[in-house]
Amino acid sequence: MSTPRVVVVGSGQAGFEAAVSLRGHGFDGAISIIGDESGVPYQRPPLSKAYLHCEPDRDSLALRPAQYFADHGIELRCGKPVVRLHRIDRRVELVDGSTAEYHHLILATGARNRRLPVPGSDAAGVYYLRTAVEAEALTAQMKACSSLVVIGAGFIGLEVAAAARKNGLSVTVVEAMARPMARALTETMSQFFSSLHAAHGVDLRLSTGVERIVVDDGHARGVITSDGETIPADAVVVGIGVVPNTEVAEQAELRVANGIVVDAHLRTSDERISAIGDCAAFPGVSDEGLVRLESVQNAVDQARCIAAQLTGTETAYRSVPWFWSEQYEAKLQIAGLTTGTDTSVVRGSVADGAFSVFCFRQGRLLGVESVNKPRDHMAARKMLACTMPLTPEQARDVNFDLKHALSQCQSQTHRPAAPPSPLSSVG
């Protein structure tokens, strides 16, 4: 390998962005993207939103047309998954027996749907949603049926429920936890979305599990809940989270712990291999320990960070995480990680559907959840980036000038340079 070669395993948002960012940073070596799915890399967020209530158009999802990759010297080897990593030889082996050698390897293997472990879950009419193929199958089914049971009241489940209601379907959502999106949101925000879905006619069953799928003639016809109730439906959608794709890393004896473990510079235990996106478990910026995030922001920012490192600009990954969801007329935006919140402060009007929840732990701002408050969201991202010392008392005070305090914080913020890293060259 005389020419420096970067191989990216994974053709999702993180893998795509890594390749594009390498070219943007002036890397003139060989780049290959190897992905499980055929076709060009595409966006996933629309799959659980607009894509479910319009005519599916795969081209509209493409991150770039095929010609772009040819014009920029980025080889696409999609539709043939990597099955083995040979670290000593620095090459990956694809399912068809072909190989690709690398100077540096970027694992952007993403995640897959967590399967529902109950009888009947493999029947026709049971749908999951992560890929374009799955979205197209679900869209076709929703056009042909009148009722839907959604298992799981997380982001995907509730976005599907909202799309189904927009299509006129009768929808029941079954959730094992006591409130929707409980792992990600405060109780205030969960209650708001419970009321929102109820107002749009969704039957939300909380603290309720699923014992099995009702199957008739090989097709799902509803569910039997943990309290013995049968809920009939024409189809069932399962949205109970994802599992990171770590098998190749495990086979190669890289460290894995709910994701491929990396350091602050996104390096695995092998300095020639990085991991980014949904599959990567990285050190949190404060005391969270290892963090694994499933978001476009994280995928893009980590990809850009590793591209900068591989072309000589050393920096640790310190981006403020943010997330978003659209359900009916509500746009939810979250800045930061709010797990462990012990104090929350509401600014704005919950009744009017335009408010923010400022989340604190031991007096320190962890994050901000906003509904239809884009200015609050943007301000929150900046506050967290400069570690603005906002207190719960200041957040409660409607006369406290957040904009002025943020301006002062930004003017005083000076971050030290990141330490040197062996990833500054791919040679």
Side-chain angles (χ1 to χ4, degrees):
M1 285 189 295
S2 57
T3 301
R5 175 180 292 275
V6 173
V7 170
V8 182
V9 179
S11 60
Q13 186 84 51
F16 160 80
E17 192 67 40
V20 170
S21 295
L22 279 168
R23 286 289 184 248
H25 280 81
F27 178 69
D28 59 2
I31 301 175
S32 295
I33 298 176
I34 304 174
D36 293 1
E37 296 181 68
S38 59
V40 298
Y42 63 88
Q43 306 172 68
R44 294 190 192 277
L47 297 179
S48 57
K49 303 176 182 69
Y51 209 66
L52 292 181
H53 47 75
C54 66
E55 284 299 322
D57 176 10
R58 188 79 63 91
D59 290 343
S60 70
L61 297 175
L63 288 163
R64 294 289 190 281
Q67 190 59 44
Y68 172 90
F69 299 94
D71 291 345
H72 289 79
I74 300 172
E75 178 190 29
L76 287 181
R77 299 176 67 174
C78 296
K80 296 178 181 178
V82 168
V83 295
R84 187 169 295 274
L85 166 55
H86 302 272
R87 287 169 54 191
I88 295 176
D89 298 337
R90 292 200 309 211
R91 62 187 175 90
V92 293
E93 181 181 340
L94 282 63
V95 69
D96 62 355
S98 63
T99 61
E101 296 181 326
Y102 63 85
H103 284 92
H104 194 86
L105 180 67
I106 300 174
L107 296 175
T109 50
R112 62 186 181 276
N113 291 310
R114 188 182 299 278
R115 312 304 286 189
L116 182 68
V118 302
S121 60
D122 58 351
V126 177
Y127 294 87
Y128 292 81
L129 182 55
R130 188 162 182 84
T131 68
V133 169
E134 290 171 334
E136 288 158 7
L138 178 56
T139 299
Q141 176 65 55
M142 289 201 305
K143 290 178 179 178
C145 71
S146 61
S147 60
L148 194 68
V149 167
V150 178
I151 302 173
F155 285 84
I156 296 297
L158 293 184
E159 288 172 0
V160 168
R165 287 299 298 139
K166 187 169 184 177
N167 286 349
L169 277 67
S170 171
V171 179
T172 302
V173 176
V174 180
E175 167 57 48
M177 300 190 75
R179 54 189 178 87
M181 300 182 285
R183 293 182 179 87
L185 300 182
T186 59
E187 186 171 351
T188 297
M189 195 61 76
S190 287
Q191 289 175 346
F192 171 80
F193 277 95
S194 287
S195 298
L196 180 66
H197 279 273
H200 282 82
V202 172
D203 183 359
L204 186 58
R205 310 290 185 90
L206 300 173
S207 301
T208 303
V210 171
E211 291 296 318
R212 66 183 177 92
I213 306 295
V214 177
V215 180
D216 180 22
D217 195 24
H219 196 283
R221 298 300 179 188
V223 302
I224 296 179
T225 67
S226 54
D227 55 13
E229 182 183 2
T230 298
I231 303 175
D234 297 323
V236 175
V237 178
V238 180
I240 56 173
V242 299
V243 179
N245 294 323
T246 61
E247 288 77 9
V248 169
E250 292 178 55
Q251 166 268 312
E253 298 184 346
L254 298 174
R255 186 182 169 206
V256 171
N258 185 35
I260 304 169
V261 176
V262 296
D263 64 14
H265 288 76
L266 307 176
R267 296 170 296 199
T268 69
S269 47
D270 183 330
E271 66 178 24
R272 295 286 183 173
I273 303 175
S274 302
I276 59 175
D278 293 6
C279 70
F282 60 95
V285 295
S286 54
D287 58 353
E288 301 100 339
L290 288 175
V291 174
R292 189 179 63 80
L293 300 178
E294 300 154 14
S295 75
V296 170
Q297 167 273 324
N298 182 65
V300 169
D301 286 353
Q302 287 191 339
R304 292 174 178 174
C305 181
I306 199 63
Q309 291 186 43
L310 292 175
T311 52
T313 303
E314 280 304 326
T315 181
Y317 181 66
R318 298 181 182 276
S319 294
V320 173
W322 56 270
F323 314 85
W324 65 281
S325 177
E326 289 181 349
Q327 299 169 34
Y328 311 109
E329 68 276 10
K331 182 164 185 177
L332 168 66
Q333 295 173 291
I334 307 168
L337 300 175
T338 58
T339 302
T341 294
D342 57 30
T343 303
S344 60
V345 176
V346 176
R347 288 174 70 101
S349 173
V350 176
D352 292 341
F355 67 100
S356 295
V357 182
F358 286 68
C359 304
F360 298 85
R361 182 171 64 218
Q362 297 180 350
R364 179 174 66 86
L365 182 66
L366 293 180
V368 179
E369 306 165 352
S370 301
V371 168
N372 298 332
K373 281 282 192 177
R375 290 185 180 180
D376 282 5
H377 174 69
M378 292 307 299
R381 286 162 58 176
K382 294 174 183 177
M383 290 178 202
L384 293 166
C386 71
T387 59
M388 177 175 154
L390 182 73
T391 67
E393 291 71 28
Q394 290 169 329
R396 288 191 187 96
D397 183 357
V398 294
N399 296 314
F400 180 75
D401 193 337
L402 284 173
K403 185 176 180 180
H404 177 68
L406 175 58
S407 177
Q408 285 187 315
C409 176
Q410 289 177 312
S411 67
Q412 296 169 4
T413 299
H414 299 284
R415 284 185 175 169
S421 164
L423 291 182
S424 60
S425 171
V426 298

